[in-house]
C-alpha cells in the first residue's frame, strides 16, 4: 500500500463491540446508563463541595477537580460512540479524531497528577496534622492543580503534533470505540520510532512519576499510622485516606489491565472491552467510593438535597 500524506486523510473508521445489530440497542443502553451515572455522580460531588462550607478544604478541592476531570474524560469518548451507534455510522473525521485524542490524553494525564496530589494531601494531613492548613495553603493547592493542567496540556499538545507529522496507509480502521493513541500510531506507514520513544518516555515520567509519589506518600502514611498507639487512632487515621486508596487501586489496576492484557494484541475487540474498565467504569465508581465511605460527603449531599427540596417547595408554593 502506498502511504498517503496526512493532509489527504479525511476520516477513520471506529470499530464497535458487536457487529450484531440485535445487540446494538443493549450496548447503547448500557453505555448511556454508565455515562449518565458518571456525569450525575461526579456533578453531585462538585455541587456538594461548592455548596457546603464544611468541604472547603484542600482534600475536597482536589476531589472536585478529580470529579470534573472524570466527567470531561468520559465525555471525550462515550458520546461519540453513542452517536455512532444511534446513526449506524462508525466514521470519525480526521480532525475529530485528533481532537478526541488530544483531550483523552489531557484528562488521562490529569488523573495521574491529581491522584498523586491527593496522596500528598493525605500524607500531610496524617503525618503533619498540626501544620496541615499552613502547608496545604490555598496558594499551594491552586499551584499544584495549575501545574497539573500545564503539564497535561503541554504533553497532549506534543503528542498531537507528533501524530500530525505521520503518513497513513489506506486502512483506517481503529479497533477501539475512540481514537486511542497507540492504535492510531499502528495505522501509520511512516516511521513511528520517534513517536514510540516519546510515548514510552512520557509513560515512564508522567505515569511512573506520580505513581512513585503515591507509593512514597503512603509509605510515610503507613509509618505514621504504625506509630499511633491506640487502635482507634490507627483506624481514624486510616479512614481519612481509605477512599483515596480505593480509587488509586481501582485506577491503576484498570490501567495495568488495559496495557498488560495478554489478549489485547491478538484480539482488538478484547482490547477495546478491557479499555472500557479504564475509560468508563472507574469514572462511574469514583463518586460511589467517595460518597459511601465518606461521612462528610454523605452529610453534604444530604444538606444539598434538603436545600433543593426547600427551593422546590418555594417554587411550587408560588
Amino acid at each position: 500500500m502506498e502511504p498517503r500524506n496526512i493532509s489527504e486523510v479525511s476520516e477513520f473508521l471506529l470499530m464497535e463491540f458487536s457487529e450484531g445489530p440485535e445487540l446494538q440497542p443493549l450496548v447503547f443502553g448500557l453505555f448511556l446508563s454508565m455515562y449518565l451515572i458518571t456525569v450525575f455522580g461526579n456533578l453531585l460531588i462538585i455541587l456538594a463541595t461548592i455548596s457546603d462550607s464544611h468541604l472547603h478544604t484542600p482534600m475536597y478541592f482536589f476531589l472536585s477537580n478529580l470529579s470534573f476531570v472524570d466527567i470531561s474524560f468520559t465525555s471525550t469518548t462515550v458520546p461519540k460512540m453513542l452517536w455512532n451507534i444511534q446513526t449506524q455510522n462508525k466514521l470519525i473525521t480526521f480532525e475529530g479524531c485528533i481532537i478526541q485524542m488530544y483531550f483523552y490524553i489531557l484528562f488521562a494525564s490529569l488523573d495521574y497528577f491529581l491522584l498523586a496530589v491527593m496522596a500528598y494531601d493525605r500524607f500531610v494531613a496524617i503525618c503533619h496534622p498540626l501544620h496541615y492548613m499552613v502547608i496545604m495553603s490555598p496558594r499551594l493547592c491552586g499551584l499544584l492543580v495549575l501545574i497539573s493542567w500545564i503539564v497535561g496540556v503541554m504533553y497532549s499538545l506534543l503528542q498531537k503534533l507528533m501524530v500530525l507529522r505521520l503518513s497513513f496507509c489506506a486502512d483506517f480502521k481503529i479497533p477501539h470505540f475512540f481514537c486511542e493513541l497507540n492504535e492510531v500510531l499502528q495505522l501509520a506507514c511512516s516511521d513511528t520510532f520517534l513517536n514510540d520513544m516519546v510515548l514510552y518516555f512520557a509513560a515512564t515520567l508522567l505515569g511512573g512519576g506520580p505513581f512513585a509519589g503515591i507509593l512514597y506518600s503512603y509509605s510515610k502514611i503507613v509509618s505514621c499510622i504504625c506509630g499511633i498507639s491506640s487502635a482507634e487512632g490507627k483506624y481514624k487515621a486510616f479512614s481519612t485516606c481509605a477512599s483515596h486508596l480505593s480509587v488509586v487501586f481501582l485506577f491503576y489496576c484498570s490501567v495495568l489491565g488495559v496495557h498488560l492484557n495478554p489478549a489485547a494484541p491478538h484480539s482488538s475487540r478484547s482490547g477495546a472491552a478491557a479499555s472500557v474498565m479504564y475509560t468508563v467504569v472507574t469514572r462511574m465508581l469514583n463518586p460511589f467510593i467517595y460518597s459511601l465511605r465518606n461521612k462528610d460527603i454523605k452529610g453534604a449531599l444530604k444538606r444539598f438535597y434538603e436545600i433543593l427540596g426547600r427551593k422546590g417547595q418555594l417554587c411550587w408554593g408560588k
Side-chain angles (χ1 to χ4, degrees), residues 160-186:
K160 173 185 173 181
L161 295 176
M162 294 291 293
V163 171
L164 289 175
R165 58 181 284 274
L166 299 176
S167 298
F168 289 83
C169 296
D171 185 10
F172 298 128
K173 293 181 180 180
I174 299 177
H176 263 287
F177 63 95
F178 64 96
C179 290
E180 203 272 334
L181 177 59
N182 283 323
E183 299 296 340
V184 174
L185 291 180
Q186 291 180 18

Side-chain angles (χ1 to χ4, degrees), residues 291-310:
S291 60
L292 293 177
R293 296 184 60 89
N294 192 300
K295 295 181 179 180
D296 293 334
I297 289 289
K298 287 191 288 187
L301 288 174
K302 182 178 179 181
R303 288 187 290 271
F304 182 70
Y305 291 146
E306 291 173 352
I307 293 174
L308 289 180
R310 288 196 295 269

